[in-house]
Every structure is written in structure tokens, then in C-alpha cells.
Amino acid sequence: AQSVSQHNHHVILSEAASLELGCNYSYGGTVNLFWYVQYPGQHLQLLLKYFSGDPLVKGIKGFEAEFIKSKFSFNLRKPSVQWSDTAEYFCAVNAKGNNRLAFGKGNQVVVIP
Amino acid sequence: KAGVTQTPRYLIKTRGQQVTLSCSPISGHRSVSWYQQTPGQGLQFLFEYFSETQRNKGNFPGRFSGRQFSNSRSEMNVSTLELGDSALYLCASSLGFLADTGELFFGEGSRLTVL
């Protein structure tokens, strides 16, 4: 079964600071990788995904993530955060061939204006 | 187009009771998955249905069950409720396999409180 680790559950930073959230997964086979975001009071939304090809993927709202296969990692980055990026961010892994997502515990990010 | 709709949004039950939650997927989506979200365990997969058949199941006791109807709407049921069942239950829909469609679309969830 897949497992996903996200560290630094609570992150507090000021506007314009850079953000990097780590995600490591455990699974020996081919995977699809996702970052989902949950803004306060809203449903989970897809931020970006990696299926194959260029390991550096760009998502919505200026976010990007890099897949490093040798490190089983899929870290999320944003060069300059805004107050509106305050949200909980979830990394998720899907083994190819099914629709089951294994989620990390999430990173609660608070951006101070 | 309308998103994933879950009802009821909030409900309170007492231990020992049972509860049924409903999910209407995005029109045309045939796969419906259910997840439990708690502060301690995070998001955990319950089960997935596709064309009325359970295609995948997570590690939850038999008290948790689900079904899908011919119109792709899905229900999940929890019997003999325990305090630990208090959670946000999320439904997600997809056209088919993630490898082909690329995304699960989530509803806003049903928040269950067990007293």
C-alpha cells in the first residue's frame, strides 16, 4: 500500500516569502502524484498533478512541484506567497490502475499580510 | 456545470445509531469515491464505486458500507456509530480511471458528529 509523508504540519510565513512543502511517498510501482488545496470553508481542489514527462510541473496560482523519482519526492513550491494562499495543502499518491488516493496528513499554511 | 453535491452537510447522531450520507457526482461521472477526514488520521480512503460495482475498498470495519445507483449517485452507510466515527466524509467523482481523466473532483463533505 502507498503511504505519504508531509512534514512541518504548521507553516506560518509573511506575504512575499517563498514556500516549499515537502512530500515523500512510499510505493514501489508507478505512481501518479497530486497536490490538492483546501481553502478555509471550501472543498478540496486540485493544485497540480504529475503523471509522466517533465518532472517539473506547473499548477494554478503560481504553484509548481518537482518529481524526483530517486528520492520518492514531490515537493511543492511557490516563490512568493500571498495572503490568499492561506489554506491546507495535501500531497496525494495514486498507484496507476485504480482511483484510490493515499493522502499525506497535510500542511496548514498561514500567510500573514 | 454543477459540482459534486453531498447531503446532508451537517448531522449529529448518538452512539449506536446509524447514518446514511448521499453523494451526487458531476453529471457524466461514473466513478464515486468516499474518504473520511479527521484531524488525527487525515484523509483516508473508504471505498470506490464504478458503474454500481465496488471497485476498491479501504481498511475500515464492516460497519461502513456503500452503494451506487444506476444514475451514479452514491450513498454510504455507517451502522452502530461510535464516537470515533465523528469526521468529515468526503465524496469525490471522476469520469473513469485517474490515469485517463487526471482528477478527482471533491464535494464539500458531510460533517458527522457522534455524541
Side-chain angles (χ1 to χ4, degrees), chain B:
Chain B
K1 62 184 176 183
V4 178
T5 305
Q6 293 187 244
T7 57
R9 291 290 314 281
Y10 302 91
L11 65 166
I12 299 174
K13 294 284 187 179
T14 56
R15 279 181 296 175
Q17 287 187 308
Q18 67 101 24
V19 66
T20 299
L21 308 177
S22 180
C23 171
S24 292
I26 291 172
S27 178
H29 285 194
R30 297 169 64 190
S31 166
V32 174
S33 304
W34 289 89
Y35 289 81
Q36 183 196 64
Q37 185 176 17
T38 59
Q41 298 299 316
L43 282 147
Q44 294 187 288
F45 173 79
L46 279 156
F47 27 64
E48 185 223 356
Y49 288 87
F50 183 85
S51 293
E52 302 179 67
T53 301
Q54 188 180 84
R55 200 160 63 171
N56 211 337
K57 189 176 188 306
N59 296 323
F60 279 81
R63 300 185 297 107
F64 291 81
S65 62
R67 59 178 176 168
Q68 186 180 34
F69 302 96
S70 57
N71 61 359
S72 292
R73 191 177 69 85
S74 177
E75 289 181 347
M76 67 161 283
N77 184 277
V78 188
S79 62
T80 319
L81 284 166
E82 301 176 358
L83 294 179
D85 297 332
S86 294
L88 181 67
Y89 290 89
L90 295 173
C91 173
S93 77
S94 174
L95 275 168
F97 280 114
L98 269 177
D100 303 319
T101 66
E103 184 174 355
L104 288 186
F105 294 84
F106 284 84
E108 293 186 325
S110 293
R111 184 166 295 282
L112 169 65
T113 301
V114 181
L115 302 177

